Amino acid sequence: MTCDIYDELWYVTALSFGTMKDNSLACSESPVIRPQLFELKHLKSLSLFNCFTTPNRYLASISDEKWLDLSKSLERLEIRSNPGLIGELPSVITNLTNLQSLVVLENKLTGPLPVNLAKLTRLRRLVLSGNRFTGRIPEVYGLTGLLILDVSRNFLSGALPLSVGGLYSLLKLDLSNNYLEGKLPRELESLKNLTLLDLRNNRLSGGLSKEIQEMTSLVELVLSNNRLAGDLTGIKWRNLKNLVVLDLSNTGLKGEIPGSILELKKLRFLGLSNNNLGGKLIPQMETEMPSLSALYVNGNNISGELEFSRYFYERMGRRLGVWGNPNLCYNGDETKNLSDHVPFGVNQCKRIKADKY
């Protein structure tokens, strides 16, 4: 609990219930949200952490009028890790127009997201992940100051809203682990400041959008476990020179791994497993990608001989995933006395001895 002085009187400005902070108030064994809470006219921050464990529609017990009593002061609302918190997220929350941070994380809330989220124009952080929300992601026009948008781990469906492209300040966009469909929208190219794009475990299709190459601040690009299809050759990888993590595993990719992938000098993790990629594995990955510490191309149709040095096998260890490529083999000369670092699931190349005369 935090208090500040207004007009020479002390008022409560921050309340935290649960065990998240040192100065948090303990939750009672049978917690209820009392009307008196909404009479704190200078309350700026309210946090409820792991208070509600018995299933109940606690939020539905609060009238719209009570929520509106906080609309002039509340800047931060966090409702986290309450397994007993069921029902829908009240739409009246979108009238708390002074909110800068709205975090509703890992509860058991259901139903659609409030359609008027765009009214919260002062938001910097919007996290609604780890619930059971359904329906479409509402349009987010006007949230130009938003830095973090995370609605991952829900049951959301439909296409990505085109208005996402108007979130010019966005740093992190996480829509992973939902049932989103359709193509990656062209509007994504406007997200010049985005460092994280995580859309894994959805039903997206239509190939890798060229607009991705315009998102030049990206550090992590994770699109694994979608139905994208297409190939890797249409992207100017040199534009994404800040990438540290690139995961395109199980996305239906075909063709070969292009040499332009070597432009990713900062890349540490490259995941291309369980696709339909063919051709050879580029040996220059060892020297031209000095930061690479995890490479997974297992479950493809890559063929030929692995032409990496002994040092590379030692460096990568079990973070080199090349199994499941039936026409791939390794040079036994480079792995002598390296039984712990022999590429798992890959046979040694057979040498044809020259006839002696």
Side-chain angles (χ1 to χ4, degrees):
M1 183 171 66
T2 303
C3 298
D4 287 313
I5 295 178
Y6 291 87
D7 299 326
E8 299 183 352
L9 295 174
W10 287 96
Y11 290 91
V12 175
T13 56
L15 276 178
S16 179
F17 295 92
T19 57
M20 192 166 58
K21 298 180 179 178
D22 291 339
N23 62 346
S24 295
L25 301 174
C27 299
S28 66
E29 293 183 4
S30 301
V32 293
I33 302 177
R34 298 188 181 280
Q36 290 82 356
L37 176 65
F38 300 89
E39 296 174 5
L40 301 173
K41 61 181 181 179
H42 292 291
L43 189 65
K44 292 183 178 181
S45 177
L46 175 60
S47 177
L48 303 170
F49 178 78
N50 197 26
C51 284
F52 306 108
T53 56
T54 303
N56 203 333
R57 298 176 183 270
Y58 298 96
L59 297 181
S61 66
I62 307 168
S63 68
D64 289 358
E65 290 76 15
K66 291 298 181 184
W67 281 114
L68 292 175
D69 287 340
L70 297 178
S71 61
K72 293 182 180 180
S73 62
L74 199 64
E75 298 176 355
R76 180 177 179 272
L77 177 60
E78 185 162 350
I79 305 171
R80 175 182 290 196
S81 301
N82 295 280
L85 194 59
I86 62 175
E88 297 186 5
L89 185 64
S91 60
V92 70
I93 280 181
T94 61
N95 289 319
L96 303 179
T97 51
N98 277 311
L99 279 181
Q100 297 179 21
S101 176
L102 175 58
V103 177
V104 183
L105 173 65
E106 294 177 350
N107 303 288
K108 294 292 177 65
L109 294 172
T110 56
L113 297 177
V115 295
N116 292 323
L117 284 173
K119 291 170 63 178
L120 301 174
T121 55
R122 297 187 180 184
L123 274 183
R124 298 294 179 266
R125 179 171 60 164
L126 177 57
V127 178
L128 304 174
S129 61
N131 288 281
R132 298 177 178 180
F133 293 125
T134 55
R136 292 175 172 266
I137 299 174
E139 296 293 348
V140 287
Y141 293 108
L143 302 184
T144 53
L146 196 65
L147 302 176
I148 298 173
L149 175 57
D150 183 353
V151 294
S152 62
R153 294 181 290 128
N154 282 292
F155 298 91
L156 299 169
S157 57
L160 276 68
L162 302 183
S163 55
V164 167
L167 305 178
Y168 305 119
S169 302
L170 204 62
L171 300 177
K172 296 183 179 182
L173 177 58
D174 189 349
L175 311 178
S176 62
N177 296 286
N178 281 290
Y179 296 98
L180 301 175
E181 301 174 335
K183 297 181 179 181
L184 299 175
R186 293 181 55 187
E187 287 74 9
L188 288 176
E189 68 180 357
S190 301
L191 304 181
K192 304 295 186 183
N193 296 310
L194 198 70
T195 60
L196 167 70
L197 177 60
D198 191 347
L199 302 175
R200 78 183 89 178
N201 298 328
N202 278 289
R203 298 174 177 177
L204 299 170
S205 58
L208 284 176
S209 169
K210 289 186 178 181
E211 284 70 32
I212 286 177
Q213 68 195 25
E214 304 302 326
M215 303 163 72
T216 52
S217 296
L218 275 179
V219 175
E220 297 182 50
L221 175 58
V222 184
L223 304 176
S224 53
N225 298 318
N226 279 287
R227 305 168 180 174
L228 293 173
D231 57 47
L232 295 168
T233 59
I235 304 294
K236 295 180 181 178
W237 294 107
R238 64 178 178 271
N239 291 4
L240 300 175
K241 60 183 179 181
N242 292 309
L243 270 185
V244 172
V245 174
L246 175 60
D247 192 354
L248 302 173
S249 302
N250 193 29
T251 53
L253 293 173
K254 58 185 179 180
E256 298 185 3
I257 301 173
S260 57
I261 205 83
L262 299 176
E263 301 281 352
L264 302 178
K265 305 298 184 184
K266 296 181 180 180
L267 200 68
R268 296 179 185 176
F269 180 97
L270 178 56
L272 298 172
S273 60
N274 298 314
N275 284 296
N276 298 307
L277 297 170
K280 295 188 67 175
L281 199 55
I282 305 171
Q284 289 83 2
M285 284 181 170
E286 175 178 353
T287 54
E288 298 295 320
M289 303 175 77
S291 299
L292 192 64
S293 58
L295 172 61
Y296 294 96
V297 294
N298 48 287
N300 282 284
N301 296 311
I302 294 172
S303 58
E305 181 178 324
L306 291 173
E307 299 178 13
F308 298 121
S309 71
R310 169 180 179 147
Y311 169 75
F312 184 76
Y313 291 122
E314 289 179 326
R315 185 178 100 195
M316 301 297 286
R318 294 303 179 186
R319 297 184 302 277
L320 176 62
V322 289
W323 63 88
N325 292 282
N327 296 313
L328 186 66
C329 62
Y330 70 91
N331 183 347
D333 294 338
E334 291 291 348
T335 57
K336 285 182 178 178
N337 303 319
L338 277 179
S339 58
D340 291 340
H341 301 292
V342 170
F344 176 77
V346 179
N347 293 322
Q348 185 174 343
C349 298
K350 296 180 179 178
R351 302 298 183 190
I352 300 177
K353 296 181 180 180
D355 293 334
K356 294 183 179 179
Y357 293 96

